[in-house]
Amino acid sequence: MPELPEVETVRQGLQDLTLGSAVLGVEVFLPRTIAYPAVEAFRYSLVGTCFTNWQRRGKYLLGSLNSGASLVVHLRMTGRMLWLKGSVPLSAHTRVCLGLEGEWDLRFVDQRTFGQMWLVPAGVAPEQVITTLQTLGPEPFSTAFSDAYFQTALERSKRPIKTALLDQTLVAGVGNIYADESLFLSGIHPTTPASRLSSVAIAQLRETLVRVLQAGLNHRGTTLRDYRDLNGLNGNYQGQAWVYGREGDPCRVCGTPIQRLKLAGRSAHFCPHCQPELP
């Protein structure tokens, strides 16, 4: 699933390419992609509008329209937003296509079909329609994600620290890739109970997490299978990953083979030498 760096890269592309272009037509090829409102209302309300701004909240993309409405997109596992000339043939996995001025299309392509789109009416906050937005934790790059906040959030949790980092109510936008990378660079084993981390370790982990997310953003995200940016290009972070996706490969620091385990149904990659378990 795309994480903060991937979604932010897509947001930047949308901001650069779509602003001011009127939506001339809307095609919905998979009705269940439209979570709200009904498909016909979705089509009717979008035609004739223009995008004025794009924001990101966690893993959600929020597009402001000159009508006052908002188009919200969640890519889920395999969703892509692609900016293509209208003459380019539609992919078999195209779920929604917005035809814009200049014969450009903004297409939502989603192989696994878990992605969703919402058109929130003018005068209504997206949080009122998409209730999960209400529960998101602070953004990692915000001042709200402080050492004090992070310590308070973790000190009473007996969950493995890797599981805690994936909790979107604790911090928004973090997923498997950047959690694994941050734990490695902090020397913390993924199964360590969050409550056993010292205040120094928590501060270091918070700083490292922010640094790793910024590195992912600088490399325009990570492409292992499905993720592409708005122009269909791969991210580049995977080439420098420390542990994620490197099971059996030698650790870049000590040479020990990288291991993988399952925690709450999710994979965790780590180096058993650089990230020793607590006694």
Side-chain angles (χ1 to χ4, degrees):
M1 180 183 291
E3 302 179 32
L4 187 155
E6 291 77 46
V7 180
E8 178 62 19
T9 298
V10 173
R11 185 205 69 80
Q12 292 174 359
L14 290 166
Q15 186 78 0
D16 291 342
L17 294 172
T18 69
L19 300 194
S21 296
V23 179
L24 304 181
V26 177
E27 295 180 275
V28 177
F29 301 103
L30 184 68
R32 72 169 181 268
T33 299
I34 309 305
Y36 183 90
V39 170
E40 285 306 315
F42 180 86
R43 285 199 193 100
Y44 177 81
S45 300
L46 264 178
V47 173
T49 63
C50 295
F51 291 106
T52 60
N53 191 40
W54 283 93
Q55 296 177 297
R56 179 194 53 76
R57 183 70 174 101
K59 301 176 185 179
Y60 289 85
L61 293 160
L62 298 94
S64 299
L65 298 160
N66 62 351
S67 63
S70 301
L71 179 66
V72 183
V73 182
H74 199 307
L75 302 175
R76 303 292 181 192
M77 292 180 67
T78 60
R80 304 178 190 171
M81 299 291 287
L82 296 178
W83 180 253
L84 298 166
K85 272 295 186 180
S87 57
V88 176
L90 291 170
S91 158
H93 303 302
T94 303
R95 308 308 177 189
V96 179
C97 179
L98 309 185
L100 280 75
E101 288 181 304
E103 299 182 351
W104 286 99
D105 283 353
L106 181 59
R107 300 179 187 176
F108 184 59
V109 178
D110 185 16
Q111 182 176 357
R112 297 288 296 277
T113 74
F114 295 132
Q116 291 183 295
M117 304 178 83
W118 298 258
L119 186 63
V120 180
V124 178
E127 292 83 359
Q128 293 177 256
V129 175
I130 309 161
T131 55
T132 51
L133 286 171
Q134 300 174 15
T135 66
L136 291 178
E139 292 288 326
F141 298 129
S142 71
T143 56
F145 188 55
S146 63
D147 288 346
Y149 163 80
F150 202 30
Q151 182 165 347
T152 300
L154 293 178
E155 63 186 4
R156 293 187 180 88
S157 176
K158 296 181 180 180
R159 293 181 295 178
I161 183 59
K162 169 64 186 289
T163 303
L165 289 177
L166 299 183
D167 183 352
Q168 299 300 294
T169 68
L170 188 147
V171 56
V174 180
N176 259 355
I177 299 170
Y178 302 101
D180 280 356
E181 296 288 282
S182 301
L183 290 171
F184 171 78
L185 291 171
S186 301
I188 299 171
H189 195 279
T191 63
T192 304
S195 60
R196 293 194 62 186
L197 294 176
S198 67
S199 59
V200 172
I202 290 173
Q204 180 184 2
L205 177 58
R206 187 202 66 80
E207 186 276 332
T208 302
L209 180 60
V210 172
R211 180 159 46 89
V212 167
L213 289 168
Q214 185 61 59
L217 184 54
N218 293 345
H219 286 82
R220 302 186 63 78
T222 301
T223 297
L224 296 174
R225 287 181 296 274
D226 300 291
Y227 164 71
R228 302 289 187 277
D229 70 9
L230 207 67
N231 292 305
L233 301 177
N234 291 349
N236 296 310
Y237 181 81
Q238 65 276 8
Q240 68 170 44
W242 292 94
V243 291
Y244 189 83
R246 300 189 63 241
E247 181 184 10
D249 292 343
C251 173
R252 299 189 192 278
V253 174
C254 70
T256 302
I258 300 300
Q259 295 184 12
R260 180 173 66 94
L261 56 79
K262 285 280 190 178
L263 281 174
R266 307 292 294 275
S267 293
H269 299 79
F270 66 100
C271 171
H273 180 265
C274 297
Q275 298 166 263
E277 290 189 73
L278 291 181

